[in-house]
Amino acid sequence: MLGKYPLHFHMAGDTMRGFLVNGVSIWDSGNRFISIHRTNGIVVSNVVGYRSIGHGFFLEDGTEIDNIFESCISILTLPGRIRPDDARPAGFWIQNPRNRLVGDIAVSSYGSGFEYAIPERAPDVVPFDEEAIKTITPDIITYPRRSYILEFSSNEAHSNKLNGLFIYRIDMNRERIINVFSNFSAWKNGLDGISITVSNALLKNLYILSNSRSNIMIDGYNVTIESSKILSGAETSVNTQWGIIVSASPIIIKNTLVRGHLQADIVNNIRGFTKLVEILDNVIYGKFVFGYPLNPESYTKIINGNITYYLYRYDIKRINCTLNQEYMAQQCIG
């Protein structure tokens, strides 16, 4: 039933900041674990949720900010019918990025472990009057995609039906505040370990392995991956098709091990005519496929010690570009 949850914070605004839910166990819930709706600053700590119908830990409509989920675990979320998206229930369902998730675990969700489903506009904040919106509510609440990740660190996601971490989308922040995702582990998820559409993001100290389709899929602008391990195949117990699939520009991958994937460790899959810039700095990988960027000025810069190589998709002066990609790569890099 809509609005009937084990723990429900309903439209309290800032009046309950600092309220603590600590050391609670919630099991066999017919409808979520904890729901926070238009309420800010709630601290949810050391909570175990087992077997929920619909999303587990739930921020409802994109107006919720400054809430903290710390050292919580979601185990087994099953499809529900309260909302259409309950058909793919996440362990943690977040609709405004300006919240903190620290040391949480999502296991066996029927959807993704962690899902940031960010609406372009938070629904029903005020009557649809643009001038009224500007005077009544902050921009980050009215338009959550213009906000930024407050904190996402030391979380884990495994054995979920879809993705370990799924984000759509955080890419409209005009201040270009960096969205940081650190110390995240994801393995044995049914689609991707990480599938995100973000801009101005730093992903560091990742440990991503043995996810079914790809370990990381990135779309967006200005993304860096550093100091991480992205593994599959002989390195792990499950074969992953793709290591890192990139549709972002520019992207920098540095000080990272990417190895063992069936199709390719790194594949550039840019869409449209955007110029693509990719930099691989001190990256260990096997097979790299420089996708299909339609802008002939796109390139990948590969830094290996004191030597720098450039790989262009269309480089008439060096290569007959009707040749296959592997031969092109050998000629440009080898």
Side-chain angles (χ1 to χ4, degrees):
M1 182 180 296
L2 182 66
K4 302 297 183 181
Y5 315 113
L7 284 172
H8 185 195
F9 297 90
H10 183 65
M11 301 182 74
D14 290 327
T15 65
M16 297 187 71
R17 281 186 176 270
F19 189 95
L20 174 64
V21 180
N22 183 52
V24 174
S25 63
I26 302 169
W27 68 93
D28 287 338
S29 166
N31 201 9
R32 320 207 186 291
F33 300 135
I34 295 178
S35 178
I36 300 176
H37 183 199
R38 295 196 198 176
T39 303
N40 306 319
I42 301 296
V43 179
V44 181
S45 178
N46 300 302
V47 173
V48 176
Y50 171 73
R51 189 187 288 270
S52 165
I53 304 299
H55 304 300
F57 297 93
F58 179 68
L59 299 185
E60 186 158 336
D61 68 8
T63 62
E64 302 82 17
I65 62 172
D66 299 335
N67 298 289
I68 301 173
F69 294 98
E70 182 176 14
S71 300
C72 298
I73 181 169
S74 169
I75 308 169
L76 190 59
T77 60
L78 300 171
R81 293 184 293 179
I82 295 294
R83 295 162 44 118
D85 46 64
D86 278 318
R88 59 175 205 282
F92 295 80
W93 175 269
I94 311 297
Q95 293 207 93
N96 191 310
R98 203 181 121 174
N99 293 278
R100 297 184 187 275
L101 280 74
V102 183
D104 300 313
I105 302 173
V107 182
S108 298
S109 303
Y110 201 85
S112 296
F114 299 87
E115 179 159 353
Y116 286 76
I118 311 300
E120 184 173 359
R121 171 190 162 83
D124 304 323
V125 178
V126 291
F128 195 81
D129 182 323
E130 292 296 333
E131 292 305 315
I133 289 172
K134 292 176 183 178
T135 59
I136 293 175
T137 184
D139 199 41
I140 58 171
I141 297 177
T142 309
Y143 300 103
R145 292 182 187 175
R146 299 181 186 178
S147 188
Y148 55 91
I149 292 285
L150 202 57
E151 185 173 5
F152 186 92
S153 64
S154 302
N155 299 308
E156 301 178 12
H158 71 84
S159 309
N160 299 288
K161 184 174 182 180
L162 298 181
N163 310 288
L165 169 63
F166 181 81
I167 297 178
Y168 187 86
R169 51 193 276 194
I170 310 171
D171 61 351
M172 297 177 64
N173 189 295
R174 296 170 183 172
E175 299 177 11
R176 296 194 175 183
I177 296 173
I178 300 298
N179 295 287
V180 179
F181 304 85
S182 63
N183 300 293
F184 179 57
S185 300
W187 67 95
K188 291 189 177 179
N189 295 289
L191 287 180
D192 310 312
I194 298 176
S195 179
I196 56 177
T197 302
V198 297
S199 292
N200 304 305
L202 170 63
L203 291 75
K204 64 179 182 180
N205 301 321
L206 307 177
Y207 189 56
I208 315 295
L209 68 153
S210 297
N211 299 283
S212 293
R213 181 172 64 183
S214 77
N215 274 327
I216 299 179
M217 184 178 295
I218 299 176
D219 195 1
Y221 175 80
N222 192 27
V223 180
T224 297
I225 300 174
E226 69 175 38
S227 304
S228 299
K229 293 182 179 180
I230 318 297
L231 303 174
S232 180
E235 310 291 337
T236 67
S237 60
V238 175
N239 287 318
T240 303
Q241 294 294 111
W242 310 95
I244 301 175
I245 300 176
V246 174
S247 295
S249 182
I251 183 169
I252 299 172
I253 306 174
K254 61 183 181 180
N255 301 322
T256 291
L257 173 64
V258 190
R259 191 159 61 188
H261 302 89
L262 285 179
Q263 299 297 323
D265 292 316
I266 303 173
V267 57
N268 199 306
N269 191 35
I270 194 71
R271 297 188 296 272
F273 291 89
T274 304
K275 180 178 178 179
L276 175 76
V277 178
E278 185 169 11
I279 299 174
L280 307 180
D281 186 356
N282 192 26
V283 176
I284 299 174
Y285 61 92
K287 185 176 181 181
F288 172 69
V289 177
F290 183 44
Y292 299 94
L294 299 181
N295 189 319
E297 296 181 354
S298 297
Y299 67 87
T300 294
K301 180 180 179 181
I302 301 175
I303 303 172
N304 184 7
N306 295 324
I307 303 174
T308 300
Y309 305 96
Y310 291 87
L311 172 61
Y312 289 84
R313 178 65 181 92
Y314 299 115
D315 192 337
I316 303 299
K317 295 180 180 179
R318 299 190 197 181
I319 299 171
N320 178 352
C321 53
T322 62
L323 300 177
N324 67 66
Q325 290 177 341
E326 288 192 32
Y327 178 79
M328 289 174 62
Q330 290 170 6
Q331 296 300 308
C332 281
I333 307 173

